[in-house]
Amino acid sequence: MDLNAAIEELVTANRILAHENVLDSFGHVSIRHPDDPGQFLLSRARAPELVVAGDIMAFTLDGGIVGPEPGKPYSERFIHAAIYEARPEVMSVVHNHSPNVVPFTVIDKPLRPLMHMCAPIGGDIPNWDIRTGFGDCTNLLVTNQEMGRDLVRCLGGRNVALMRGHGSVVVGRSLREAVFTSVYMELNADMQIKAMSMGEVTFLSDGEIAAITAGRAGFTFERGWENWCNRVGRPYISGAWETGSGYSRTDG
Ligand code: MN
């Protein structure tokens, strides 16, 4: 993938995540720089629904700005920086305030996959509390690398970590994977709230989660991505170059 293709892909991801009820005016999505793994691409501070190619900026893995500054950067870019710094296999990061997910950051009932498409969120989702390391007088924002690294220690090797009273982070080995996981995390949270209101919930087992995530690959991401592109009026570009592409299917 060349730089222009990566930027267009990132614009499309912004639009999709806004449309699918994952990002409000304040969430963000990034991609590792295709030519330099020591940098990542992220919009200037702007609502994801409005992001265009000219808004995309480059950053170092400690949150420093590289090159042109079309506007103010997101103050929470350190979430992305610290994850790329610690997880070389991660190619994309989503930070969201996904509305049905946030309730699970403030109660003692875990968010857990209950439908097969939602398995990638994992069966062991940690809940990072900024109070633990930084006291109870922060504004809850992750505004420096030290806070980002603390969040990453909680995330570990997982795809998802909740952030108490705030939102969550989602990572992927490709942008399309991170978008897919983010969309299905919001849907799972919505369905889980409904199911819990009716009674005891039967969640996916650890074995089912492992089987689904082991078999999931590019074909499944493509099917969702093509549909989501259409919904937001963005061109669908085949993602054969994506990490994890293949024809193993878990989409039914
Ligand atoms: Mn935030």
Side-chain angles (χ1 to χ4, degrees):
M1 183 165 37
D2 68 20
L3 179 58
N4 284 335
I7 288 172
E8 290 301 324
E9 181 93 344
L10 185 54
V11 170
T12 299
N14 272 273
R15 305 292 182 81
I16 289 172
L17 290 169
H19 191 266
E20 300 300 325
N21 205 30
V22 173
L23 297 183
D24 58 7
S25 301
F26 299 95
H28 21 91
V29 53
S30 66
I31 186 170
R32 198 185 286 271
H33 197 297
D35 302 324
D36 181 356
Q39 295 182 25
F40 65 96
L41 305 172
L42 178 69
S43 173
R44 70 179 172 96
R46 193 175 197 195
E49 202 162 349
L50 304 177
V51 166
V52 296
D55 294 321
I56 304 301
M57 301 172 64
F59 298 90
T60 56
L61 303 194
D62 59 3
I65 297 168
V66 183
E69 293 184 48
K72 284 176 61 172
Y74 291 120
S75 62
E76 291 197 288
R77 61 191 179 280
F78 301 98
I79 294 172
H80 304 258
I83 292 173
Y84 291 120
E85 177 187 60
R87 300 269 303 268
E89 84 284 12
V90 168
M91 298 305 289
S92 180
V93 176
V94 177
H95 165 58
N96 65 68
H97 312 147
S98 213
N100 285 298
V101 173
V102 171
F104 290 95
T105 76
V106 295
I107 59 164
D108 61 2
K109 290 185 168 32
L111 178 67
R112 191 178 163 95
L114 54 72
M115 192 267 266
H116 66 106
M117 299 301 288
C118 308
I121 65 175
D124 168 35
I125 299 176
N127 188 10
W128 180 70
D129 192 336
I130 198 168
R131 278 184 199 165
T132 306
F134 302 94
D136 63 1
C137 290
T138 73
N139 63 5
L140 281 93
L141 301 180
V142 179
T143 52
N144 61 54
Q145 192 76 353
E146 187 188 358
M147 288 176 164
R149 287 173 180 154
D150 195 59
L151 170 59
V152 169
R153 279 191 288 275
C154 178
L155 173 66
R158 303 173 184 88
N159 289 338
V160 173
L162 304 183
M163 301 164 71
R164 193 270 307 165
H166 185 165
S168 74
V169 290
V170 179
V171 307
R173 287 165 299 159
S174 73
L175 182 70
R176 295 183 187 190
E177 180 184 333
V179 167
F180 186 98
T181 304
S182 299
V183 169
Y184 277 100
M185 179 169 69
E186 167 62 18
L187 287 169
N188 193 90
D190 184 21
M191 292 187 285
Q192 188 174 335
I193 291 166
K194 290 168 182 163
M196 288 190 311
S197 77
M198 294 189 286
E200 285 299 308
V201 181
T202 302
F203 293 100
L204 300 186
S205 70
D206 289 338
E208 288 167 341
I209 293 169
I212 293 164
T213 52
R216 194 182 64 144
F219 187 89
T220 306
F221 305 141
E222 290 302 304
R223 186 157 146 191
W225 184 263
E226 181 185 16
N227 187 35
W228 296 326
C229 284
N230 183 62
R231 286 182 183 169
V232 296
R234 292 282 296 174
Y236 167 68
I237 297 161
S238 172
W241 34 262
E242 282 275 356
T243 302
S245 288
Y247 294 93
S248 177
R249 297 181 60 177
T250 58
D251 53 341

